[in-house]
Amino acid sequence: MANIENRKFIALDISGKNYLSWVLDVKLHLSAKKLRHTIEKDNAASNEERATALIFLRYHIDDGLKYEYLTVENPLELWQNLNDRFEHLKAVVLPKALSD
C-alpha cells in the first residue's frame, strides 16, 4: 500500500477526454494493489480497502470532479457516477468497435 497516494498516471480530465485510458489505468493499478474488487458490485471490501481505493480514485481525477463528487464516500459509487457521466464517450471514440 506504500505510495498509493503518488499519482501513477494522468488524472481524469473534467471533460472526460481521457476517460477510456483512465479507466484502463485505474483497473490495472487497483488490480495490482489487490483493490479492484472495491469498484465491483456486491463486493465485500473492508472499510480500510474502500478508503484506500477512494483515496486513489480521488487523487486521479480532476479537482473539479473531486469537488463535484465531494460527498461520495464509497469507491463503487464514485466509479459508477463517473461511468454514468462519461461512458457515452465510448460511442464517440469507438463507434466502429461498438457497431461490431
Side-chain angles (χ1 to χ4, degrees):
M1 189 170 94
N3 298 328
I4 195 165
E5 293 84 14
N6 294 337
R7 189 164 286 152
K8 304 294 185 187
F9 47 87
I10 297 173
L12 175 60
D13 188 80
I14 197 163
S15 70
K17 67 182 178 184
N18 64 331
Y19 177 70
L20 295 176
S21 62
W22 180 85
V23 165
L24 179 61
D25 288 337
V26 167
K27 286 180 178 180
L28 290 171
H29 279 81
L30 288 178
S31 292
K33 300 291 183 188
K34 297 184 179 9
L35 293 170
R36 183 159 174 182
H37 64 284
T38 61
I39 59 168
E40 296 171 351
K41 290 185 180 185
D42 302 322
N43 69 68
S46 69
N47 288 338
E48 181 180 316
E49 290 172 325
R50 284 189 187 108
T52 303
L54 187 60
I55 290 166
F56 183 83
L57 288 173
R58 289 183 50 80
Y59 195 74
H60 288 89
I61 61 175
D62 179 84
D63 287 341
L65 291 170
K66 278 184 208 174
Y67 182 75
E68 188 171 336
Y69 297 106
L70 188 62
T71 60
V72 176
E73 297 181 4
N74 185 320
L76 174 59
E77 183 181 350
L78 179 57
W79 183 257
Q80 289 172 332
N81 288 340
L82 294 171
N83 185 57
D84 291 346
R85 180 178 182 144
F86 296 118
E87 185 176 27
H88 72 280
L89 296 175
K90 289 180 183 176
V92 174
V93 176
L94 304 170
K96 182 170 175 22
L98 291 176
S99 65
D100 291 342

